Structure formats: structure tokens, C-alpha cells
Amino acid sequence: MSLLEFDEVDKYFGETHVLKDVDLDVEEGEVCVIIGPSGSGKSTLLRCANRLEEIQDGEIRLEGQSISAADADINRLRQRIGMVFQSFNLFPHKTARENVTLAPTKVKGLKKGDAERRADELLDRVGLRAQSNSYPNQLSGGQQQRVAIARALAMDPHVMLFDEVTSALDPELVGEVLDVMHDLAEEGMTMLVVTHEMGFAREVGDRIVLMADGQVVEDSPPEVFFENPKTDRGKQFLSKLL
Amino acid sequence: MAESYSEGRTGDGEYQEQFLNDKTLRRLGAAIAGLFTLGVGGFIAAIIFTQVDFELFVEIIHPQFVNAFLRVLAIILVGSLLSVTAGIFVGLGRVSNTGFTNAVATAYVEFFRGTPLLFQLLVIYVGIPAFWPPGEFPISNWQYPTAIIGLTLNHAAYVGEAVRGGIDAVPEGQMEAARSLGMSYVQGMREVVLPQAWRNALAAIGNDQVILVKDTSLLTVIAVPELISAFRNVNSTTFDPWTPIILVAIAYLMITVPLGKIVSYLEARSDWGGDRR
């Protein structure tokens, strides 16, 4: 059993068929990087993985439990799935520390003091201990995104989903966020990463999954994908990058 | 393009005198504001020195106006608290994805915003006791419950619309972030969306509450001895219009001006690091 399994997943937005029979298994400790042209369904696939989007057919399972079933206890399952968004989505009315402690105290029932100690540890880990009392609009984009990562980690997720988390950042701020993700991967976190950062994909990814038109068209280790892709779509995609 | 840049210039690069340039406009504005202040100030001074009877003024302050003022203030405090509380639920109903709830909230707003408050007050004041045989309606001084119920129902509709607008202005990603952390819809609303919606809606809610203060003047029709009634009492016995008018104005402003300050304070308090850098 894989940690996260997509089993013949179909997703429609109205008439548009955005995910076509997608099969994908993410193993524990694996960093799976999803790349592909815009509109290929990468982000949608990620959002289906914690049911921010509903699927119309197939099944998605986390550690063997269905996420997509009508009777799934989604609030409980989501605690095991961390998500980081392109637009950060930090809570603007809460300080960095409060952003991190909110869910552990309200959802897991952690005591305030314990949650704050843990939040400070996590903020320290993403290099923002000094900013714990700052509000999001007092932080740079890169800092906000690192707080968002700490916020997701505070629930002790078993898998982390990263949805184009550096796409909204100024170029000089991209590195600090990728560094945090790099560390996380080295610590053995299971990660499903949608990104346009090919350097990161190559260096940190265990697997490169290329999506096009709602389908997985290639699934290769990075050294294979970037040196000698198995499929024509892979070759075509790489040629456009250069 | 080059031509439009040189518009208003003469050939040797100096600005031509236009009829209404920025500087004249600014001076004109200040002149109008000055004339206005002079006019209004003169008018008020003229009233105070020629029309106001100071002996009568002191005589009617207590108990007439003080009592009316305190009564109105009590109605406002209760009505305000209830209408804002109820309004939050109306707003939540208006953004509900459940068709039935949404339709009920929408109908509520349409009715209470679409009919005059005076009409609503009369329906409650005259209509409800009509369910009982004449003289057997159990609640005495029904005008006070009527005042509270009417103001609450009416203003909950307006507050509800302000809250709905405030919720709509919170980006969808906020609820998604809350849900992705395992929070329920209710938790996401309470902890994440509503605090932000509240700030977005504050100005509109404050505006409505100022109107609620002034709407208490309608209670004179259902025999609540409020400020307009106090004016009419004094005026009908002394035939002096301006002395009670001045008192009415002072009384209303004593409530509405601080109310505006409270709203500004609440807005500043939910600044969340914006200007405190």
C-alpha cells in the first residue's frame, strides 16, 4: 500500500474533462514532483488530494483510507495532509505564531502553551523565529510562504502538498522557500510538489511526473526525465524549457 | 502624443493661464467652505442669541429631555446589540450554500429592507395585540417591546447585507487554508472568515447603527416618550420652537458622534500590522 493513491481519477469542471483516468501512487518518504504546461491539471490533481475539489469517478486514498468517498471523515483526514498554496493564504488577522497555533489548538485541542512552544520550534526551523509576532502584511512574500509551511507542519502531516508555492514570489525570494522544502525532503517528508522550478525538481525530486491534457504522460526518475525522457511529450516539454 | 503633452503650454514652454487650474480650484474650494462655515455659524449664533430662551432651556433639560434621552439611549443599546447579533446570522444565511436557508435569508432582507420601518412598527404595535380579544393583551407598555423588536428586525436586514458583503470580500483561499488544516466549515467561519468579514463590514455596520439611532425618532408615533415627543410637548405648551430644537439636536449628536468614534476605533484596532510598521 502506498501512502497516497490516485486510482483512475476523473474530474470534470462542468463539461471540461480536466483529469482523465489518473493513476498515481506516492510512496512514503518520496518527493514526487508534478510538472507540465498550464492547464494540464497539475494543481487540480493536488487539490483533489485533500478534497478541496471533488472528483467524479475513481478513488483517492491516504494510507488506505478513502478521501473521496461520500462518507469520508474529511476533517480528520485533512489533518494528515499539509497543504501550501501559491498565494500563501496566511490569516491576515493573526500573527505568524497565531497562524501556526490556530489549527493545533482548535482542531487537535492542544494547550495554548504547548502549541506556542511547537510553533516557535517550527518558525525557527523555517528561519523566522524573530518574526513570530509579525502580522503577514509585515512580512515579505518569501517569509509569508515559509510561515505557511510552518503552519501546515504544525498539524504533523504525513504528506505535504505544494501547489506552485514559488510562483507568486519575486525571483530573489524563491531560493529561501525552496531551501526549506529541500530540508523537509531530506528529513524524509513525503511530498507531492507542483512546480515550474526545474532545478528544484531535478535536485530534490525522486520522481518526475509529467502531466498534459489531464493525463500522466510520463513518470520517470529525474535523471532519466531530464537527460533522456522516455516519451515524445517529455522531449517536447523539455525542448520548450530551453 | 507629442501634441497632447504640450497642451496648455505656449511655444516657449510656459504654462498658459487656464480658467480653472489646480491652484484656483483649491482656493475656490476653500472660499466656498469658508462662506458655508460663516453662513451656518452666523445662522446658529443668530438662533442662540435671538430665539433661544435660556430659562426655558434649563427648565426643560431635566427631567423632560434627560428622561427622553436615557430612554432612547437604552432602546438604542439593546436594539443595536440585538440587530448586529441577528444581522451576523442573516449575513451567514445570505452566503449559505443551502438553497433553503439562502432563500429564507434573502426573503427576510427583501421584506425588512423593502418596507418602511414605520410600517413595521405599526404592524407589531397594532397588529400583534389584535390576536387577543380587546383589552386582554397581556403585555403592558407594549410600545417598548415593539420598539426593540421593530428596530432589531429592520436593522438586522441592513447589518446582514453588510456582513454578506464583508464575507464576500474575504478571498476564497482563506476558507480553503482553514479547511486544509482540518478545520470544519464552522471553525473556518468563526476563526478565519468572520473576523476579516467583520472588519470589511465595520464601516457599513457603523453607518447603519447611526441610522438606527435616528430611527428612534419614529417611535414618537407609537407613544414612546422619546426626543421628538419631548420637543412636541414643549413646543405645544410654550410655542417656542428653537429652544427644544436645539436640545433635540444636542441629544442626537451626543449619541451619533461618539458612535462614529467607536467605529473608527474598532477599525483602527483591526489594522493587523498595516500601519504599525
Side-chain angles (χ1 to χ4, degrees), chain B residues 237-261:
Chain B
T237 49
T238 63
F239 300 106
D240 180 339
W242 282 105
T243 308
I245 281 176
I246 296 286
L247 265 168
V248 170
I250 292 171
Y252 278 117
L253 290 171
M254 271 171 63
I255 303 174
T256 52
V257 172
L259 183 57
K261 299 275 181 233

Side-chain angles (χ1 to χ4, degrees), chain B residues 81-162:
Chain B
L81 198 73
L82 291 178
S83 66
V84 171
T85 311
I88 291 171
F89 288 99
V90 173
L92 284 169
R94 290 278 282 134
V95 299
S96 169
N97 291 325
T98 311
F100 176 69
T101 313
N102 197 312
V104 170
T106 306
Y108 176 90
V109 170
E110 295 293 354
F111 180 80
F112 283 98
R113 228 173 40 163
T115 56
L117 174 57
L118 184 54
F119 162 79
Q120 293 159 15
L121 288 170
L122 288 174
V123 168
I124 301 165
Y125 188 57
V126 186
I128 301 294
F131 289 113
W132 278 262
E136 287 182 31
F137 186 60
I139 303 172
S140 55
N141 288 326
W142 177 235
Q143 66 270 36
Y144 293 107
T146 299
I148 299 291
I149 296 167
L151 287 170
T152 299
L153 290 177
N154 182 271
H155 284 274
Y158 288 94
V159 173
E161 280 306 273

Side-chain angles (χ1 to χ4, degrees), chain A residues 6-13 16-23 44-45 48 53-60 68 213-215:
Chain A
F6 296 83
D7 193 357
E8 294 180 7
V9 170
D10 277 284
K11 163 79 187 165
Y12 295 83
F13 283 125
T16 323
H17 200 174
V18 285
L19 293 178
K20 298 169 187 162
D21 234 14
V22 173
D23 277 304
T44 306
L45 184 72
C48 289
E53 303 286 352
E54 298 284 345
I55 61 173
Q56 276 72 49
D57 199 15
E59 190 173 40
I60 302 173
S68 51
D213 303 323
Q215 288 169 312

Side-chain angles (χ1 to χ4, degrees), chain A residues 33-44:
Chain A
V33 179
I34 306 175
I35 59 177
S38 41
S40 57
K42 319 179 288 286
S43 286
T44 306

Side-chain angles (χ1 to χ4, degrees), chain A residues 47 50 52 74-75 78-79 81 83 85 89-94 102-103 106-107 135 137-138 151-152 155, chain B residues 173-174 176-185 187 190-193 195-196 271-274 276-277:
Chain A
R47 290 167 58 81
N50 69 352
L52 287 180
I74 193 63
N75 292 338
R78 277 177 178 147
Q79 295 177 34
I81 311 170
M83 178 138 185
F85 300 86
N89 296 347
L90 286 184
F91 307 134
H93 59 303
K94 297 196 173 288
L102 181 67
K106 299 292 170 188
V107 180
Y135 283 89
N137 65 10
Q138 295 169 319
R151 178 177 70 177
M155 294 301 284
Chain B
Q174 290 292 310
E176 287 186 352
R179 297 305 304 270
S180 77
L181 290 163
M183 295 168 83
S184 65
Y185 177 82
Q187 285 175 322
R190 194 176 54 211
E191 304 292 337
V192 174
V193 175
Q196 297 178 59
D271 180 49
W272 309 326
R276 274 181 274 167
R277 276 171 202 254

Side-chain angles (χ1 to χ4, degrees), chain A residues 65-76:
Chain A
Q65 284 175 276
S66 176
I67 291 170
S68 51
D71 62 348
D73 186 354
I74 193 63
N75 292 338
R76 193 164 280 276

Side-chain angles (χ1 to χ4, degrees), chain A residues 209-223:
Chain A
V209 172
L210 175 67
M211 285 189 71
D213 303 323
Q215 288 169 312
V216 172
V217 292
E218 175 155 357
D219 185 347
S220 308
E223 54 279 11

